[in-house]
Amino acid sequence: MVCTTEIQAAFILCSFMTFFGGLIILLAFRLILKFSKKWQTFKGTGIILELFSLGRIEHNPLRRLYFQRVFRDRIELLLSAQTVMGQVLAILVFVLSIGSLIIYFINSRDPVRKCSSHQDKTVPVDLSFNVFFTFYFGLRFWAAEDKIKFWLEINSIVDIFTIPPTFVSYYLKSNWLGLRFLRALRLLELPKILQILKVIKTSNSVKLAKLLSIVISTWFAAAGFLHLTFPLPSLFGQVENSGDPWLNGRNSQSMSYFEAVYLVTATMSTVGFGDIVAKTTLGRTFIIFFTLGSLILFANCIPEMVELFTSRKKYIKPYKAVKGKKFIVVCGNITVDSVTAFLRNFLHHESGAINMDIVFLGEAPPTLELETILKCSLSYTMFICGSALTFEDLKRVSMEYAEACLILANPLCSDLNAEDNSNIMRVLSIKNYCSHTRVIIELLQSHNKVFLSKIPTWNWSTGDNIICFAELKLGFIAQGCLVPGLCTFLTTLFIEQNQKVFPKHPWQKYFLNSLKNKILTQRLSNDFVGMTFPAVSRLCFVKMHLMLIAIQYRPQFHNCCSLILNPSAQVKLTKDTLGFFIAESPQAVKRAFFYCSTCHKDVYTPELIEKCDCKNSQQQALGPDIVVMKGNNKKFTCNSENQNFISREQESFLASTTFENRDGAYDSVEDTAEQLDSSGMFHWCRSTPLDKKRFDKSKPEFRNHIVACVFGDAQSALIGLRNFVMPLRASNYTRKELKDIVFLGALEYFQREWRFLQNFPKIHIFPGSALYTGDLHAVNIEQCSMCAILASPSKPLSSQLLVDTETIMATLNIQSLRISCPTPMPPVPGVSTASTFSKYQERRYQQIPILTELKNPSNIHFIEQMGGMDWALKGASLHLSTSFSRGTVFSANFLDSLLATAFYNYHVLELLQMLVTGGISPQMEQCLVQEKSYGIQADCATVTSRRSRCKLELLSLDHTILSDIEPRKTFGQLFCGSLDNYGILCVGLYRVMDEKEKNLEHKRFVITRPANDCHLLPSDLVFCAIPFSTACYKTENVSSNPSLENIANVTSLTPGRHRVGTEAEKASLRSSSQVYPLKLFTSSFFDQ
């Protein structure tokens, strides 16, 4: 049956008349409603008008009718698909729309000019579908708040242009294709239906489904437009099948629907084979605009679809654990910078071929930069997209078989607490999934460590460990305040230097060579059993060129190990003692294991000390310097059976403790008495209100004090100043040796920190800012021994280059100040040192000693410019800068390397924590926790033994007991002489950069572990590990003289220190020391 022009016009016009007629009616009612509200003349038509208004249901007059309101509420529930019936209705509409589209495909096989008879079986089926669509359209129209907006929605347009022709076909008893191809736009609802059916769950799957539905629906709709009719005033015909109307169809061509689909596909893909083309003007005009739109569609959708599809397949594949193949899982902050730093540090510890896989578990697909990095290490790295918070993803990475799980933190995030909390939740999820999995986590704030210890399956003995950035970072800075240059000295032992640098000055050669030294561990030869530490250290230094600085000591009959720095001669080495060395390579420290007292007795060439054949058959197997802990390994620790045998060498402190007011119980104790906390590790005092510790305008007579500049306000995250104060209040310093600490910053911030500082002695608060010179003079900064500028708390910034703005400006302000100090006369023979430095020739000026913390190490060039230094290593990293070599700048970015260190050799991390935090280590925390659990109280002798530990200091070659050592022309001679005579362990030098020039400010640089034959200079200062009871001055008649500190820049030295030399003095110290109990932190600790 041939369709006449009138029949085609009827099908086309019914759709357009319905659309435009309804739109005009809605607009008319909208205008009438606004007009009636303005003039208030149509009061009787309010109910009808409100039905088509913008107002919500509560403003509709029909709200008085209860059944109307209930009916609309039910409709909204059905349309929102929140109920089972609503979901069924949404799925049914989509399925019927696809069915109607299939009927269109079937009918499109016939010529376009042909009308199907009403007796066709597809006609009543399509009619029934459209009856249901009409009902669904009415429900949506009734529930719509804005009727006009609803009328212009894509789904409404599809219904308006496809439903009316169906009823026209029933009236005319003939059916024509018309605009039914618009049903293809219903495919845009595909993602919603797949989500209801729970076929897709992830965001990437939903996004892929949306892009796919857009492409397919556009594809079918465009093909239908080319195939079917296009309305014109004079003629209604097909675009290609009927030709142009003004040519009376003379350029028409026969084109089926699937040929139109083929043409659209070739056009969208920009291929254009040319076998099927548009010949009519209307068809070509459509192709012009469609080509532009398809290019945009392809350029945006297709590449993204391919990327989502390939990444989905690529990064959801599970990791298959192979027996005998070790692997670790890394999760948390997986970014380009964190992965690059981790791989560099982790792979550095691997010797030879890499035999361990690294599985990265990221919550988002990797970026192109990260993909490139992973491809460079494709043989031993794998990326899996997932979260450590879900058991399904933990199963995909085979967490139960992993050697360990390492959790990275983002130190530059704006919310430190949120970052820590997310990582703690990852630990909890991992431990719940597999309790024996070893976890090493990075935390940003120290007070969050307490949550990990409360996890039932957290176990230090199986290798679980915490790297707390705030604790270590502030500990490093505190050590740099106690001893100038010590911060740099300790940092160089843990950084990796891989850049090729060509020094231009002699001092740079010394500094670069010292960067090769690292902290390494090695089991000592059993031939050292029974020898004292000084004897073994001297032997290793002379014969093997190794510097032994500490040991892991396990007393006889005790199972509790402790790390001891430079132990006294009373400590005898036992079998399988673990030694800590400052050396260049793991191969070098193996000499300490291979040493044989018989074969190597007369050997003084280190390279000749190798494994010999006469070694005792019972000698332990070679223990490498790299120690990887397994979940079933046992670590020497305290347990319920040996609580009564806790060693006095044990240095324990519970990080989750605080000092609280004792309600006047110790009011009679004077501030000058030696008051210690219950662990014996730190000095203690009675709680003091903040108002008594703050000062405003009055200028106290501070001298040789420490100024700490803090940037923070009432809303800033706490940086944990307690971690900065604790090393400065370590009990291995006497009460008189403690320096006053003056905090300069916002009072509102210190009010939040004060409850953690109120029990530390000699702490003062000054409300102000380091950006104002008047505030700096108010804290008497001219007389300070060190000014530490702490980095500001994290803030959301547009650029990470601006995170150090306040710190750099404060450094600029302080470095602009100059202090005058007298210049001493040269030494005169026969005149004492004290009298020499009491006479002056002239006055000179020098800068205030300063230590600046940088969050972003790339900002070091600002500091270099301020110092006026010749940055010969321009363009290099912070650790190659002049300021770093001098010990005037610090950045915590190297702490990322400790994650790999903790995995391979957790002993090194314990030693570092003990050195920088004043005695705290995980081992010590664990022992003290168990002491409290079993109610064990340390007696006075135990507390005294805990405080009798070595301390790191700077000693002069001329004004201390080191001047009595002869000969001392080289560092090797000084090392042996100080160790033999005084038990002092020399580990480094603090040398003037250029003695030939008149260096009035005495700019010095750090030399870590100088060579044995390194010649000493008279102006050299020596980094020493000094026993607690060693007196460093030759006479007690040396009066306190600030000029000595200024000239030598030895701010940590004051005459009168280290005087506890006789037994009577030691007994007096023990009798004056008082110990006070500690309480666990309450919940108020976390209310920040």
Side-chain angles (χ1 to χ4, degrees):
M1 179 180 177
V2 179
C3 280
T4 63
T5 303
E6 291 77 8
I7 294 178
Q8 294 180 14
F11 277 94
I12 296 295
L13 286 178
C14 70
S15 297
F16 281 91
M17 290 180 63
T18 303
F19 176 75
F20 289 106
L23 184 61
I24 292 172
I25 293 174
L26 292 175
L27 289 173
F29 271 99
R30 178 72 61 82
L31 293 175
I32 293 173
L33 176 62
K34 291 184 177 180
F35 183 78
S36 64
K37 286 184 177 180
K38 183 176 182 180
W39 300 100
Q40 298 181 357
T41 57
F42 299 94
K43 298 182 180 180
T45 60
I47 294 178
I48 299 177
L49 296 176
E50 283 290 337
L51 291 175
F52 303 95
S53 67
L54 278 169
R56 294 182 177 274
I57 189 65
E58 55 268 18
H59 301 297
N60 199 308
L62 294 180
R63 64 182 180 274
R64 301 181 182 89
L65 303 177
Y66 175 76
F67 72 94
Q68 294 280 7
R69 183 170 63 251
V70 173
F71 182 65
R72 179 167 179 170
D73 292 341
R74 293 293 180 89
I75 293 176
E76 289 180 349
L77 284 176
L78 288 177
L79 296 178
S80 62
Q82 295 180 359
T83 61
V84 176
M85 183 60 67
Q87 295 176 356
V88 172
L89 182 60
I91 296 173
L92 183 59
V93 171
F94 180 79
V95 172
L96 294 181
S97 298
I98 299 300
S100 179
L101 184 62
I102 294 175
I103 293 175
Y104 169 79
F105 291 156
I106 296 173
N107 295 335
S108 66
R109 294 180 300 176
D110 298 331
V112 178
R113 291 178 177 269
K114 182 180 180 181
C115 290
S116 60
S117 172
H118 197 65
Q119 297 178 353
D120 191 349
K121 295 180 180 180
T122 60
V123 174
V125 175
D126 190 48
L127 179 62
S128 61
F129 287 173
N130 282 274
V131 170
F132 179 77
F133 294 151
T134 304
F135 170 73
Y136 186 68
F137 179 85
L139 292 179
R140 293 170 54 235
F141 181 81
W142 183 271
E145 296 180 359
D146 189 344
K147 308 300 181 184
I148 296 179
K149 183 178 179 181
F150 164 79
W151 198 262
L152 298 176
E153 289 180 356
I154 184 67
N155 288 334
S156 300
I157 294 176
V158 171
D159 289 337
I160 293 171
F161 280 89
T162 55
I163 294 176
T166 305
F167 294 101
V168 172
S169 68
Y170 180 78
Y171 175 77
L172 297 176
K173 304 300 180 182
S174 62
N175 190 25
W176 186 56
L177 292 177
L179 300 176
R180 285 188 291 159
F181 66 87
L182 293 176
R183 280 289 168 193
L185 297 178
R186 274 287 183 180
L187 290 171
L188 295 173
E189 299 291 319
L190 178 62
K192 176 182 177 182
I193 302 303
L194 294 178
Q195 284 183 291
I196 293 176
L197 296 175
K198 297 182 179 179
V199 176
I200 55 177
K201 299 179 181 179
T202 62
S203 59
N204 286 341
S205 300
V206 175
K207 192 174 182 180
L208 180 62
K210 287 184 178 180
L211 294 173
L212 187 63
S213 63
I214 291 174
V215 173
I216 295 177
S217 60
T218 304
W219 182 23
F220 286 150
F225 182 84
L226 282 175
H227 176 255
L228 295 175
T229 61
F230 191 87
L232 291 170
S234 61
L235 180 65
F236 296 90
Q238 297 83 13
V239 174
E240 290 297 321
N241 289 280
S242 299
D244 292 323
W246 53 86
L247 297 178
N248 295 324
R250 291 193 298 271
N251 59 346
S252 64
Q253 65 171 333
S254 178
M255 179 183 293
S256 67
Y257 177 77
F258 289 101
E259 287 177 339
V261 171
Y262 174 77
L263 175 59
V264 169
T265 304
T267 304
M268 291 179 66
S269 60
T270 67
V271 175
F273 293 106
D275 51 346
I276 300 178
V277 296
K279 295 182 178 180
T280 63
T281 303
L282 290 177
R284 291 176 178 177
T285 303
F286 171 77
I287 289 296
I288 290 175
F289 291 100
F290 179 74
T291 301
L292 296 176
S294 62
L295 286 175
I296 298 175
L297 183 68
F298 259 66
N300 288 276
C301 297
I302 301 301
E304 193 170 359
M305 287 172 56
V306 173
E307 182 181 357
L308 289 173
F309 184 78
T310 55
S311 63
R312 182 176 178 271
K313 295 292 184 181
K314 185 176 181 180
Y315 297 118
I316 64 173
K317 184 179 180 181
Y319 176 81
K320 295 182 179 179
V322 180
K323 187 176 181 180
K325 183 69 173 180
K326 297 180 180 180
F327 71 97
I328 62 172
V329 178
V330 182
C331 60
N333 179 43
I334 305 298
T335 61
V336 174
D337 294 335
S338 64
V339 170
T340 303
F342 175 80
L343 290 176
R344 181 178 62 249
N345 298 317
F346 190 85
L347 300 179
H348 175 78
H349 291 77
E350 288 278 7
S351 56
I354 299 173
N355 58 355
M356 184 174 296
D357 289 342
I358 305 174
V359 181
F360 291 97
L361 181 61
E363 297 183 358
T367 60
L368 293 177
E369 291 179 297
L370 184 55
E371 277 188 339
T372 304
I373 295 173
L374 295 176
K375 287 179 180 179
C376 295
S377 309
L378 188 61
S379 59
Y380 48 85
T381 61
M382 180 178 182
F383 186 93
I384 296 179
C385 191
S387 174
L389 301 176
T390 59
F391 282 8
E392 293 81 2
D393 294 333
L394 293 178
K395 184 177 181 180
R396 287 197 294 122
V397 298
S398 303
M399 185 65 74
E400 63 271 23
Y401 303 110
E403 293 292 308
C405 179
L406 281 59
I407 303 178
L408 304 177
N410 180 16
L412 297 179
C413 65
S414 58
D415 193 341
L416 303 181
N417 271 324
E419 180 72 10
D420 280 350
N421 292 339
S422 62
N423 283 340
I424 292 173
M425 290 300 297
R426 291 185 178 97
V427 175
L428 187 59
S429 175
I430 294 169
K431 287 295 185 179
N432 288 341
Y433 177 77
C434 184
S435 59
H436 68 268
T437 300
R438 181 187 177 198
V439 177
I440 304 175
I441 179 177
E442 292 180 345
L443 288 182
L444 302 179
Q445 294 189 311
S446 59
H447 64 261
N448 289 322
K449 293 172 61 177
V450 67
F451 293 109
L452 293 171
S453 61
K454 293 180 180 179
I455 298 178
T457 52
W458 181 268
N459 193 349
W460 296 99
S461 63
T462 58
D464 294 339
N465 216 327
I466 304 171
I467 300 175
C468 182
F469 280 20
E471 185 178 73
L472 295 175
K473 176 189 68 175
L474 294 176
F476 270 98
I477 298 175
Q479 296 297 336
C481 292
L482 281 172
V483 182
L486 184 58
C487 181
T488 294
F489 175 86
L490 296 174
T491 304
T492 56
L493 297 175
F494 296 92
I495 60 175
E496 300 296 337
Q497 165 52 25
N498 299 318
Q499 289 183 259
K500 290 185 178 180
V501 181
F502 301 97
K504 296 183 179 180
H505 302 286
W507 69 267
Q508 292 176 347
K509 182 179 180 181
Y510 284 105
F511 177 70
L512 293 175
N513 288 334
S514 67
L515 292 179
K516 301 177 183 178
N517 296 288
K518 299 292 174 287
I519 294 288
L520 299 173
T521 61
Q522 179 62 59
R523 298 288 174 184
L524 300 180
S525 170
N526 286 338
D527 286 2
F528 294 139
V529 173
M531 298 177 61
T532 63
F533 175 85
V536 175
S537 180
R538 191 184 195 282
L539 188 150
C540 291
F541 186 84
V542 174
K543 284 181 170 290
M544 311 173 200
H545 291 184
L546 299 176
M547 182 178 288
L548 178 65
I549 62 172
I551 60 172
Q552 186 185 53
Y553 180 62
R554 180 162 56 107
Q556 194 175 7
F557 309 116
H558 292 190
N559 289 332
C560 198
C561 294
S562 61
L563 301 183
I564 308 180
L565 175 67
N566 186 24
S568 63
Q570 285 73 26
V571 176
K572 306 292 184 181
L573 269 65
T574 58
K575 187 178 180 180
D576 297 340
T577 298
L578 182 67
F580 293 80
F581 297 86
I582 297 180
E584 294 186 2
S585 66
Q587 291 73 22
V589 297
K590 289 181 181 179
R591 302 166 190 160
F593 173 81
F594 292 140
Y595 178 77
C596 175
S597 58
T598 303
C599 301
H600 304 140
K601 181 179 181 180
D602 299 325
V603 176
Y604 289 91
T605 303
E607 291 75 12
L608 298 180
I609 300 180
E610 299 177 347
K611 187 176 181 180
C612 60
D613 297 331
C614 67
K615 294 293 290 182
N616 193 332
S617 59
Q618 297 180 353
Q619 176 85 342
Q620 73 274 19
L622 175 60
D625 64 305
I626 294 178
V627 182
V628 180
M629 290 205 60
K630 292 290 293 181
N632 57 355
N633 285 355
K634 298 298 181 182
K635 183 180 178 181
F636 291 117
T637 184
C638 300
N639 51 44
S640 58
E641 297 179 359
N642 56 39
Q643 287 296 314
N644 295 325
F645 301 99
I646 296 179
S647 171
R648 290 187 178 183
E649 292 82 7
Q650 192 91 29
E651 299 172 346
S652 306
F653 183 78
L654 181 61
S656 58
T657 54
T658 187
F659 308 101
E660 298 187 358
N661 195 353
R662 272 59 177 181
D663 299 328
Y666 307 103
D667 290 343
S668 59
V669 180
E670 297 182 358
D671 291 339
T672 57
E674 294 284 345
Q675 305 174 43
L676 306 178
D677 66 286
S678 63
S679 67
M681 303 294 294
F682 299 96
H683 287 275
W684 179 90
C685 72
R686 291 170 295 174
S687 299
T688 307
L690 178 60
D691 294 338
K692 294 184 178 180
K693 288 293 184 178
R694 58 171 288 192
F695 61 96
D696 296 319
K697 301 299 182 182
S698 59
K699 185 176 180 180
E701 292 299 326
F702 290 124
R703 188 184 184 90
N704 197 33
H705 58 294
I706 296 173
V707 177
C709 303
V710 181
F711 299 96
D713 50 36
Q715 288 77 34
S716 301
L718 299 184
I719 62 177
L721 293 178
R722 183 172 64 101
N723 299 300
F724 175 76
V725 174
M726 289 173 67
L728 302 176
R729 295 295 175 261
S731 61
N732 56 348
Y733 293 96
T734 63
R735 186 76 169 210
K736 294 181 179 180
E737 293 173 344
L738 299 182
K739 298 182 179 181
D740 289 292
I741 305 174
V742 180
F743 287 105
L744 176 62
L747 181 61
E748 296 79 8
Y749 178 82
F750 292 124
Q751 288 174 342
R752 300 165 57 206
E753 287 266 19
W754 184 248
R755 54 177 168 167
F756 312 123
L757 306 176
Q758 60 185 350
N759 289 102
F760 291 109
K762 295 187 177 183
I763 294 180
H764 309 274
I765 304 296
F766 182 83
S769 174
L771 302 178
Y772 299 98
T773 306
D775 294 339
L776 295 175
H777 289 301
V779 297
N780 203 14
I781 198 171
E782 300 87 353
Q783 299 295 330
C784 73
S785 64
M786 183 63 67
C787 177
I789 303 179
L790 305 182
S792 59
S794 299
K795 298 178 182 178
L797 296 172
S798 58
S799 174
Q800 291 298 332
L801 296 176
L802 301 177
V803 295
D804 297 314
T805 301
E806 292 176 319
T807 305
I808 294 172
M809 293 178 66
T811 304
L812 174 64
N813 192 27
I814 297 174
Q815 286 189 347
S816 65
L817 301 177
R818 291 293 188 273
I819 56 176
S820 62
C821 55
T823 301
M825 295 176 60
V828 179
V831 181
S832 65
T833 304
S835 60
T836 299
F837 287 100
S838 62
K839 299 178 182 180
Y840 311 98
Q841 290 181 330
E842 59 181 3
R843 301 191 65 84
R844 61 183 178 82
Y845 296 89
Q846 70 174 29
Q847 287 184 338
I848 296 172
I850 190 172
L851 177 56
T852 303
E853 178 194 358
L854 294 179
K855 280 190 173 182
N856 191 340
S858 62
N859 289 328
I860 181 60
H861 63 278
F862 295 107
I863 306 297
E864 294 287 80
Q865 293 173 0
M866 292 177 193
M869 301 296 295
D870 178 17
W871 195 14
L873 306 179
K874 189 175 182 179
S877 63
L878 176 141
H879 299 130
L880 295 177
S881 64
T882 303
S883 298
F884 176 76
S885 66
R886 294 177 54 206
T888 60
V889 69
F890 171 79
S891 180
N893 67 318
F894 81 96
L895 295 178
D896 292 332
S897 64
L898 297 181
L899 198 65
T901 302
F903 173 75
Y904 282 109
N905 196 344
Y906 64 94
H907 297 295
V908 174
L909 180 61
E910 289 181 353
L911 178 64
L912 173 64
Q913 291 175 325
M914 185 185 70
L915 291 176
V916 304
T917 61
I920 305 174
S921 69
Q923 196 177 50
M924 301 169 189
E925 294 178 13
Q926 183 185 13
C927 287
L928 190 55
V929 167
Q930 291 176 346
E931 286 181 6
K932 287 182 174 294
S933 300
Y934 291 92
I936 299 176
Q937 296 293 334
D939 56 12
C940 184
T942 301
V943 171
T944 303
S945 65
R946 286 176 178 173
R947 73 173 301 192
S948 301
R949 57 191 188 276
C950 285
K951 45 194 169 185
L952 296 175
E953 294 283 3
L954 268 179
L955 296 183
S956 170
L957 291 177
D958 295 331
H959 309 293
T960 61
I961 56 178
L962 297 183
S963 61
D964 294 335
I965 299 175
E966 293 294 342
R968 54 183 176 90
K969 294 182 179 180
T970 64
F971 179 80
Q973 294 173 347
L974 177 66
F975 180 91
C976 297
S978 60
L979 194 62
D980 295 340
N981 298 327
Y982 307 109
I984 296 177
L985 189 67
C986 301
V987 294
L989 297 177
Y990 200 38
R991 175 169 290 183
V992 175
M993 287 186 171
D994 194 349
E995 283 200 338
K996 296 180 181 179
E997 297 182 2
K998 294 184 178 180
N999 195 343
L1000 298 180
E1001 295 184 355
H1002 291 279
K1003 294 178 180 178
R1004 297 175 177 269
F1005 69 99
V1006 175
I1007 303 179
T1008 305
R1009 203 276 183 239
N1012 293 18
D1013 56 353
C1014 177
H1015 288 276
L1016 298 179
L1017 302 179
S1019 60
D1020 283 343
L1021 303 176
V1022 186
F1023 290 103
C1024 301
I1026 305 172
F1028 176 74
S1029 58
T1030 301
C1032 297
Y1033 282 87
K1034 295 183 294 183
T1035 175
E1036 296 185 2
N1037 296 326
V1038 181
S1039 60
S1040 179
N1041 196 326
S1043 64
L1044 176 61
E1045 298 165 5
N1046 291 331
I1047 293 173
N1049 199 20
V1050 190
T1051 58
S1052 63
L1053 289 177
T1054 55
R1057 300 180 75 168
H1058 316 299
R1059 300 264 182 81
V1060 190
T1062 63
E1063 293 298 328
E1065 290 172 331
K1066 295 179 185 179
S1068 175
L1069 177 62
R1070 287 194 295 267
S1071 63
S1072 62
S1073 299
Q1074 302 188 31
V1075 182
Y1076 297 95
L1078 291 171
K1079 284 188 177 181
L1080 292 175
F1081 276 138
T1082 60
S1083 59
S1084 62
F1085 179 84
F1086 308 102
D1087 299 335
Q1088 300 176 4

